[in-house]
Amino acid sequence: MLHICKSYTDILRISMKKTANYFLSQKGERRLTMLTAYDYHTACAIDEAGIDMILVGDSLGNVMLGYENTLAVTVDDMIHHGKAVCRGARNAFVVVDMPFMSYQTSIYDAVKNAGRIMKETNCQAVKLEGGAGYADRVHAIVEAGIPVVGHVGLTPQSFNTLGGYKVQGKTAQAAQQLLDDARALEAAGAFAVTLECVPEALARKITEQVSALTIGIGAGKYCDAQVLVYQDMLGYADGFTPKFVKKYANLHDTMLEAFHHYKEECESGAFPAKEHTFSIDEDVLEKLY
Ligand code: KIV
């Protein structure tokens, strides 16, 4: 392996990365952490905080690109943002979402697009939405050597068929389907399954019944890992906050205050001040004609 490494730093960088198998070995041992990121500096900060995994979610359609939903996000969008995150994530395990219609169409498309995402971003795994109906895609991607995270419950790419963004698995039939989906994904080789907007007691049952990791978002505290969209937990945007989000900061207000202050100081002439300004010798100026 060593001959392909460019430098000692590269060797260190590779050796510090945890693997999907390592995270699986942590099931029941400790609670794992994941946050989304879509850019280099956020990835650096999340990594520095020691968060285990970073998800480059297709939620970037909403929170970075201003779309109403995730359907317009492309494989190229995911690769563009995934590359930036992977450059910043020295230790954190990076998972990149497969966007709408990059795997639904065929097993061939699923493997081809998962391969492109992994080769071009340098991520460690891909995530795709859907249960037992997508087990064949998951199996084929894993067979190709790419670790896969599944995603069941509220799957935003299917909001048109789900009838909106609602809690899933509330009836006996729907709850059984979710458990069966998680089992099918695990049998297909997914090392983890995201549970989104699932009642806590059901998420607990699924977590106990599968040996894959469960990654919860709006699924309560018994999941093996938690994930949140970083803009939500930082209070970055003004507006609706889902019930399952805890705001750990209020960056929207902090940003707004700074932007107002900057505007005032530019307008009054207080900024830029002497210390923000470059000087030039007077005699140089005098030579100008
Ligand atoms: O796209 C995303 O950010 C996600 C999380 C909500 C799990 O899939």
Side-chain angles (χ1 to χ4, degrees), residues 187-200:
F191 78 95
V193 180
T194 307
L195 304 177
E196 180 165 356
C197 287
V198 172
E200 182 173 71

Side-chain angles (χ1 to χ4, degrees), residues 36 55 57-59 97 127 151 194 196 217 227 229:
T36 68
L55 171 65
D58 62 351
S59 52
D97 258 350
K127 175 166 85 57
H151 184 156
T194 307
E196 180 165 356
I217 174 161
V227 61
V229 170

Side-chain angles (χ1 to χ4, degrees), residues 135 138-139 180-190 210 212:
V138 171
H139 179 71
D180 292 346
D181 282 339
R183 285 183 175 137
L185 291 169
E186 176 184 16
V210 297

Side-chain angles (χ1 to χ4, degrees), residues 37-83:
Y38 318 91
D39 66 276
Y40 173 75
H41 279 299
T42 309
C44 288
I46 291 174
D47 194 72
E48 196 179 328
I51 301 287
D52 294 301
M53 295 176 273
I54 296 179
L55 171 65
V56 187
D58 62 351
S59 52
L60 74 84
N62 310 85
V63 296
M64 298 298 288
L65 304 177
Y67 297 143
E68 275 191 11
N69 55 57
T70 58
L71 303 192
V73 176
T74 65
V75 172
D76 286 342
D77 290 333
M78 296 310 306
I79 289 174
H80 179 72
H81 290 268
K83 274 179 170 172

Side-chain angles (χ1 to χ4, degrees), residues 5-195:
C5 296
K6 279 186 250 138
S7 66
Y8 183 60
T9 320
D10 281 341
I11 299 169
L12 283 179
R13 206 181 154 104
I14 290 165
S15 64
M16 285 190 298
K17 280 279 180 191
K18 302 275 195 316
T19 62
N21 280 342
Y22 163 78
F23 288 113
L24 266 176
S25 77
Q26 297 302 290
K27 186 172 171 98
E29 297 293 319
R30 68 181 177 96
R31 296 190 176 97
L32 300 166
T33 50
M34 182 187 233
L35 280 173
T36 68
Y38 318 91
D39 66 276
Y40 173 75
H41 279 299
T42 309
C44 288
I46 291 174
D47 194 72
E48 196 179 328
I51 301 287
D52 294 301
M53 295 176 273
I54 296 179
L55 171 65
V56 187
D58 62 351
S59 52
L60 74 84
N62 310 85
V63 296
M64 298 298 288
L65 304 177
Y67 297 143
E68 275 191 11
N69 55 57
T70 58
L71 303 192
V73 176
T74 65
V75 172
D76 286 342
D77 290 333
M78 296 310 306
I79 289 174
H80 179 72
H81 290 268
K83 274 179 170 172
V85 169
C86 288
R87 285 193 284 263
R90 294 201 141 255
N91 302 307
F93 184 94
V94 180
V95 182
V96 176
D97 258 350
M98 298 194 68
F100 186 53
M101 285 300 139
S102 66
Y103 58 94
Q104 284 91 343
T105 40
S106 66
I107 295 176
Y108 176 81
D109 285 348
V111 176
K112 191 158 185 280
N113 285 316
R116 250 199 90 195
I117 290 171
M118 186 170 233
K119 276 167 83 106
E120 294 182 37
T121 65
N122 203 25
C123 69
Q124 282 72 54
V126 297
K127 175 166 85 57
L128 56 88
E129 295 182 10
Y134 287 95
D136 54 358
R137 273 75 162 168
V138 171
H139 179 71
I141 297 170
V142 174
E143 278 291 294
I146 302 170
V148 175
V149 177
H151 184 156
V152 297
L154 174 55
T155 46
Q157 292 176 18
S158 316
F159 78 95
N160 281 307
T161 43
L162 292 176
Y165 300 99
K166 321 185 233 201
V167 178
Q168 302 293 308
K170 296 273 270 188
T171 65
Q173 194 191 0
Q176 185 61 52
Q177 183 63 54
L178 273 181
L179 179 55
D180 292 346
D181 282 339
R183 285 183 175 137
L185 291 169
E186 176 184 16
F191 78 95
V193 180
T194 307
L195 304 177

